[in-house]
């Protein structure tokens, strides 16, 4: 896969499941949601999103199905049990008891625990006293749920024919790495996929990684991806020969701009939709290989200038979010910038961002609108909710 906009052929999605039903006013901030989603409606909205993709010839692979298939392998099952049980949280005796229990369940049951977690009330009964069990509320989590699995873009990203397993920053999301590692290691479709980046390397998230053009990557550096993560991924893709230029793009460390794809996304081979306030302020450092295993860094320069130069085009067309500062800010918050390209000039976007969608249409971009009143409660749009696995080359 060499771009953000080549015709999309296969994608990994996660249909909202019981992990979202674990969200309460007491824990939603810790689990990175701004409100408590109506799960049935979120599922209906997601089903409609998946159907839009299928109607355009995209093969949709659901993460829960992929995880269950992977866990049919005994080695994956053992690794899944290991990933679920935290000795430091549970203590030795309780951890051993849970480990023994999970080792005996089938792939579907283990997958459910890995995704939706497990409360102390749901732990298997055990002989003897456990201070850990007694001192935790029955509804506290012995295994944390992963409600952010919905945003499959962040936990892995494909670059050329390799997959990069992300090193996720926030504690609520770190175990997602283990889930994706299991899928890519043991699912028959991915078993032979080469890796582009190690999940235990410096922090980097897929929402910050953008394939601007063949051989050209932009990596946002902000709340979720560190400069060390951007440099590590750059060194990895240079060593693998799958990129010749990486742009490290500083972004504000805030909830509204947690990833680069909340600020801008590609909508055509030479066009982006972008938050107007970032248009002139966004900069980039340009990283290129030295030829002897090193990396040379230039800049910073204006992002749009650096991007056009790296892409070998005269300029990058920019379509602003909204029509005025207030609308732009509202629609940026509602993921107006977070579009998923199905082909050059064809994108999926939330229907609520009406003015941004009108601007895209006026610029010749076909917008396929989807509902997102519940899906957006975790601050993510169509791009966040999709991990492209295969695109046709440009």
């Amino acid at each position: 896969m060499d771009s953000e906009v080549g015709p999309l052929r296969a994608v990994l999605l996660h249909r909202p499941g019981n992990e979202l039903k674990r969200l309460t006013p007491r824990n939603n901030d810790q689990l990175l949601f701004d409100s408590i989603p109506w799960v049935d409606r979120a599922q209906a909205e997601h089903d409609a999103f998946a159907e839009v993709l299928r109607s355009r010839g995209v093969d949709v692979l659901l993460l829960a199905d992929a995880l269950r298939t992977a866990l049919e392998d005994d080695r994956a099952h053992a690794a899944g049990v290991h990933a679920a049980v935290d000795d430091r949280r549970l203590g030795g005796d309780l951890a051993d008891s849970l480990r023994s229990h999970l080792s005996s369940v089938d792939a579907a049951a283990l997958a459910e625990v890995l995704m939706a977690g497990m409360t102390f009330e749901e732990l298997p009964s055990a002989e003897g006293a456990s201070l850990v069990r007694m001192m935790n509320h029955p509804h506290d989590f012995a295994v944390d749920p992963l409600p952010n699995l919905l945003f499959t873009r962040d936990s892995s990203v494909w670059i050329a024919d390799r997959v990069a397993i992300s090193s996720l920053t926030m504690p609520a999301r770190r175990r997602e790495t283990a889930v994706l590692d299991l899928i890519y290691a043991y699912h028959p479709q991915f078993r032979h996929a080469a890796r582009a980046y190690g999940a235990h390397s410096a922090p980097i998230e897929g929402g910050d990684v953008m394939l601007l053009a063949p051989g050209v990557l932009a990596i946002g550096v902000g709340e979720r991806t560190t400069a060390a993560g951007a440099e590590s991924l750059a060194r990895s893709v240079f060593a693998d020969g799958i990129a010749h230029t990486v742009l490290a793009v500083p972004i504000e460390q805030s909830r509204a701009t947690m990833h680069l794809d909340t600020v801008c996304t590609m909508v055509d081979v030479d066009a982006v939709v972008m938050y107007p306030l970032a248009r002139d302020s966004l900069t980039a450092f340009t990283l290129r290989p030295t030829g002897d295993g090193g990396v040379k860094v230039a800049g910073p320069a204006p992002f749009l200038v650096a991007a056009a130069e790296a892409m070998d085009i005269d300029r990058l067309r920019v379509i602003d979010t909204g029509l005025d500062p207030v609308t732009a800010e509202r629609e940026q918050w509602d993921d107006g910038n977070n579009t998923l390209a199905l082909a050059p000039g064809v994108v999926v976007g939330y229907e609520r961002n009406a003015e941004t969608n009108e601007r895209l249409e006026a610029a010749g971009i076909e917008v396929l609108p989807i509902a997102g009143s519940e899906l957006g409660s975790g601050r993510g749009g169509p791009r966040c909710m999709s991990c492209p696995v295969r695109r046709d080359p440009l």
Side-chain angles (χ1 to χ4, degrees):
M1 187 155 48
D2 63 5
S3 77
E4 293 285 325
V5 299
L8 183 61
R9 299 303 180 201
V11 68
L12 179 67
L13 305 182
H14 178 58
R15 185 177 189 267
N18 289 328
E19 67 279 352
L20 288 191
K21 295 181 179 179
R22 302 291 201 180
L23 291 166
T24 69
R26 188 164 54 94
N27 66 26
N28 69 297
D29 283 346
Q30 179 185 350
L31 293 173
L32 310 179
F33 272 69
D34 292 327
S35 61
I36 310 302
W38 178 7
V39 178
D40 289 349
R41 178 63 59 82
Q43 290 174 331
E45 291 175 352
H46 195 274
D47 290 344
F49 172 43
E51 191 52 42
V52 167
L53 301 186
R54 293 187 184 102
S55 73
R56 292 297 180 112
V58 181
D59 180 19
V60 174
L61 176 64
L62 296 178
L63 184 146
D65 293 340
L67 180 58
R68 285 189 287 266
T69 298
L71 290 173
E72 294 290 349
D73 187 298
D74 290 342
R75 296 166 299 172
H77 196 284
V81 171
H82 177 77
V85 181
D86 184 350
D87 289 70
R88 296 181 64 182
R89 169 179 292 192
L90 300 178
D93 290 346
L94 194 55
D96 287 344
S97 173
L98 179 56
R99 200 175 284 115
S100 176
H101 167 71
L102 293 179
S103 295
S104 69
V105 303
D106 63 16
L110 178 57
E112 183 66 13
V113 171
L114 286 168
M115 294 183 293
M118 178 178 275
T119 64
F120 280 90
E121 182 179 56
E122 295 164 345
L123 287 173
S125 58
E127 295 180 3
S130 167
L131 180 65
V132 178
R133 187 194 291 264
M134 293 173 67
M135 292 191 68
N136 276 277
H137 189 277
H139 294 159
D140 287 341
F141 295 118
V143 181
D144 284 333
L146 298 177
N148 294 279
L149 277 175
L150 172 64
F151 306 119
T152 56
R153 174 74 62 156
D154 296 331
S155 46
S156 67
V157 57
W158 286 78
I159 305 169
D161 60 348
R162 296 171 179 263
V163 63
I165 306 290
S166 301
S167 178
L168 295 159
T169 302
M170 307 301 279
R173 302 200 65 178
R174 287 177 188 161
R175 199 164 52 78
E176 290 178 44
T177 292
V179 170
L180 271 294
D181 225 353
L182 288 169
I183 290 171
Y184 287 122
Y186 295 103
H187 191 281
Q189 182 172 335
F190 303 120
R191 192 169 289 154
H192 301 295
R195 302 293 179 93
Y197 190 71
H200 301 293
S201 301
I204 193 161
E205 299 194 1
D208 281 317
V209 180
M210 200 168 296
L211 283 62
L212 296 179
V216 181
L217 272 64
I219 303 176
V221 176
E223 185 189 55
R224 304 296 180 87
T225 294
T226 65
E231 183 174 2
S232 294
L233 180 57
R235 290 180 180 276
S236 178
V237 295
F238 292 157
D240 292 335
I242 55 177
H244 58 73
T245 304
V246 170
L247 303 180
V249 185
I251 55 175
E252 182 182 355
Q253 296 194 32
S254 72
R255 179 70 169 153
T257 57
M258 72 182 84
H259 291 126
L260 180 59
D261 67 7
T262 63
V263 176
C264 68
T265 49
M266 297 284 295
V267 295
D268 205 341
V269 293
D270 64 343
V272 294
V273 58
M274 178 178 280
Y275 184 38
L277 290 182
R279 181 173 184 155
D280 297 324
S281 62
L282 212 60
T283 61
F285 293 87
T286 300
L287 284 68
R288 291 191 173 94
T290 60
D292 58 1
V295 173
K296 55 185 176 182
V297 182
F303 168 73
L304 294 173
V305 173
E309 179 183 344
M311 297 166 70
D312 197 23
I313 59 177
D314 291 336
R315 67 183 181 90
L316 198 56
R317 291 189 292 135
V318 179
I319 302 156
D320 289 338
T321 317
L323 298 173
D324 60 75
V326 173
T327 302
E329 186 175 1
R330 284 171 54 87
E331 297 203 358
Q332 186 274 334
W333 176 254
D334 286 331
D335 295 297
N337 301 107
N338 196 261
T339 60
L340 170 66
L342 303 191
V346 181
V347 302
V348 180
Y350 279 149
E351 62 184 2
R352 67 192 298 166
N353 297 309
E355 295 191 25
T356 298
N357 294 343
E358 287 180 10
R359 292 183 69 83
L360 286 165
E361 294 277 6
I365 308 300
E366 180 185 2
V367 179
L368 307 175
I370 62 168
S373 61
E374 300 303 313
L375 290 176
S377 58
R379 299 266 67 81
R383 187 182 192 271
C384 287
M385 294 188 296
S386 55
C387 175
V389 172
R390 189 174 69 256
R391 288 185 185 271
D392 289 347
L394 289 178

